[in-house]
Amino acid sequence: QPLQITLATATDELAVHVKGPDSIAGVQVVLVPQPELRRREDRYFTAFTDKSGDVRLTKVPPGTYTAYAFERIAEGAYYALAYNPLADSRFRERGLPVTIGEGSGKKQIELTVIPAPATAGLQ
């Protein structure tokens, strides 16, 4: 049976603004892929906000993601969303669904920061 491999071009850019009650500099923005791709580390995208609470994620492959803004989270702890159903349900209401389409250009979203105490114990 023939095997077909299709490569998607990563041409889209996501502009994110994070709002919160305190300093929003250095907040980690994470794009978590759709559930069927959550076990692929290469499908997660992260970046840190500047002093204005802004960050741009570039070359994001087409797909459906959930965007989160963590004030502080242990390195790689967001991978728990793929393996731990309790972690997924714990943050589900705090994420924003985002669809990135091939070649659709720039997209802008606004997130509210998830405070550091909320991520305590996330493994």
Side-chain angles (χ1 to χ4, degrees), residues 4-116:
Q4 180 179 1
I5 298 174
T6 304
L7 300 177
T9 55
T11 58
D12 288 355
E13 178 179 300
L14 181 64
V16 181
H17 177 74
V18 176
K19 60 182 182 171
D22 297 319
S23 174
I24 48 179
V27 169
Q28 186 171 18
V29 172
V30 179
L31 290 185
V32 176
Q34 57 202 24
E36 56 271 13
L37 296 174
R38 287 191 176 174
R39 294 186 183 260
R40 289 188 50 188
E41 290 183 22
D42 65 318
R43 295 305 297 251
Y44 288 74
F45 295 87
T46 65
F48 292 92
T49 58
D50 62 17
K51 64 183 179 181
S52 301
D54 296 318
V55 67
R56 291 193 184 283
L57 295 160
T58 59
K59 299 184 180 178
V60 178
T64 303
Y65 300 85
T66 303
Y68 298 93
F70 295 105
E71 178 182 25
R72 188 172 50 244
I73 188 169
E75 184 177 339
Y78 43 81
Y79 294 123
L81 298 170
Y83 300 98
N84 183 341
L86 292 175
D88 183 46
S89 64
R90 182 174 167 185
F91 294 104
R92 187 174 297 132
E93 298 298 319
R94 297 177 183 213
L96 180 68
V98 178
T99 300
I100 303 295
E102 189 170 355
S104 64
K106 295 181 182 180
K107 186 171 219 160
Q108 296 180 332
I109 61 170
E110 184 172 85
L111 298 172
T112 300
V113 68
I114 299 170

